[in-house]
Amino acid sequence: MKHHILVTGGTGYIGSHTAVELIEEGFRVTIIDDLSNSEIGVLEGIEAITGVRPEFEKMNICDQEKLFSMLREKQDFDAIIHFAAHKSVPESVQQPLKYYRNNLTSLMNLLAGMEKHRIPCIVFSSSCTVYGQPDVLPVTEKSPIQPAASPYGNTKRIAEEIISDSVVASSFIKGISLRYFNPIGAHQSALIGELPLGVPDNLVPYITQTGIGIRPLLRVFGNDYNTPDGTPIRDYLHVVDLARAHVMAIDRLLNDRQKKRYEVFNLGIGKGVSVLEMIQSFERVSGQKLNHEIHDRRPGDIEKIWADTSYANTELGWRAERSIDDAVLSAWNWEQYYRKHISGRS
Ligand code: UD1
């Protein structure tokens, strides 16, 4: 029988790509999402790619009663992958309670639901934001956790602790937190991808929206950092590689291959890339110049970070396989497809 996976936030960016990889590996997938930052049409994209339309419930999991009644009705989840969360750093600074309430209540409801309905496995969507600006690069899972630079970042750190404590207290729950570096790109079919609401905060959607003419120019936030070209460095990884890591984490949990009942993995390409190098990548793959100018630094940005991924390589058997150019090209293909075929469709 197929293992049944509940994917919260499954119509979102990383959730939808993970749903595709799960279905293609033979899992049964149920998505819950409140559609506050995603579109129902994403289900069509998933179906067009896989030939399977995932089961779907529109729900905010902060509503414990609704969540529990769904878990009671379905009864047969083997694992949960928890993506559903607010994710804008600047918004979290403006409205911290919105972030703490939503991102932590939803997780606590899920964990309580797992205990009540004996769902044994959870994979959590965490972030390299928990490392802040590390003193030593690359960062391993043992690098020190730093005070969070934003309420959003803090919810990731606290959520990891809540899961870890819940695993200790439970007789059967096991968990894995995946600390993503910077996910970019889209499915190779261009049928699903990132859908930022309004003006994007993140670099790659801003680049592709500038490339297609929705934004007049990309502001490069600072070129006076202590990096080879002066612009900040990040570890950008293809969202499909990231999605595959979730399938491997689920597989590890379901087949009892963990070293500990709660584990943490860094997921990145293991290589730092600057903002100017990202622009060059876009220009290479799109064959067009990108209008950009140097601007002041963005408050709260760190200078450089990239991952040591050896733990994921050896323990999960995972490695990022796709290049930066592949990822940027897929984001560009998706931007063009979306503007031509999907945007504006009701
Ligand atoms: C941000 C969040 C991080 C979150 C991640 C999700 C902050 C401080 N951190 O990371 O917590 O997990 O998104 O992917 O916001 N840049 C420009 N011009 C732009 C946009 C970005 O130059 O218009 C630069 C930024 O200065 C940065 C790099 O591009 O150096 C990447 O930025 P972004 O995509 O926002 O990701 P992070 O800041 O790394």
Side-chain angles (χ1 to χ4, degrees), residues 228-329:
D229 67 19
T231 63
I233 289 179
R234 298 286 185 275
D235 185 336
Y236 298 94
L237 82 155
H238 197 302
V239 67
V240 173
D241 279 333
L242 180 58
R244 284 175 38 250
H246 291 77
V247 179
M248 291 173 173
I250 285 290
D251 197 56
R252 184 176 176 87
L253 288 168
L254 292 177
N255 293 301
D256 245 334
R257 280 201 303 270
Q258 298 139 273
K259 289 246 163 81
K260 289 180 284 184
R261 285 176 53 220
Y262 174 66
E263 294 178 317
V264 175
F265 293 95
N266 282 346
L267 298 176
I269 225 167
K271 183 172 161 271
V273 178
S274 75
V275 175
L276 290 182
E277 286 171 329
M278 291 300 283
I279 295 172
Q280 286 155 12
S281 168
F282 175 79
E283 293 184 337
R284 231 176 0 254
V285 302
S286 69
Q288 69 180 62
K289 285 279 164 210
L290 188 81
N291 194 17
H292 64 278
E293 69 180 26
I294 305 298
H295 220 260
D296 292 342
R297 290 182 177 198
R298 181 171 69 176
D301 267 354
I302 61 164
E303 185 167 88
K304 52 189 165 205
I305 189 165
W306 61 94
D308 179 329
T309 61
S310 30
Y311 193 53
N313 301 156
T314 53
E315 284 297 319
L316 274 187
W318 176 86
R319 193 173 293 277
E321 288 169 356
R322 293 158 179 82
S323 69
I324 297 290
D325 277 6
D326 283 348
V328 173
L329 177 60

Side-chain angles (χ1 to χ4, degrees), residues 193-240:
E194 191 168 5
L195 274 177
L197 210 62
V199 183
D201 290 326
N202 296 121
L203 179 64
V204 169
Y206 212 105
I207 287 179
T208 56
Q209 289 196 7
T210 306
I212 210 157
I214 295 172
R215 314 272 158 218
L217 65 88
L218 172 80
R219 291 169 303 165
V220 174
F221 294 134
N223 69 345
D224 56 352
Y225 286 95
N226 182 24
T227 60
D229 67 19
T231 63
I233 289 179
R234 298 286 185 275
D235 185 336
Y236 298 94
L237 82 155
H238 197 302
V239 67
V240 173

Side-chain angles (χ1 to χ4, degrees), residues 86-133:
H86 294 324
K87 63 173 185 183
S88 160
V89 172
E91 188 187 51
S92 78
V93 175
Q94 306 276 317
Q95 299 180 62
L97 297 185
K98 174 174 173 181
Y99 276 68
Y100 288 116
R101 190 177 294 121
N102 183 73
N103 292 6
L104 299 179
T105 308
S106 54
L107 173 67
M108 290 188 288
N109 284 348
L110 273 180
L111 287 163
M114 288 170 71
E115 194 67 43
K116 195 168 157 77
H117 296 280
R118 296 201 71 81
I119 303 167
C121 309
I122 181 164
V123 174
F124 176 64
S125 169
S126 189
S127 166
C128 70
T129 193
V130 300
Y131 299 118
Q133 175 59 68

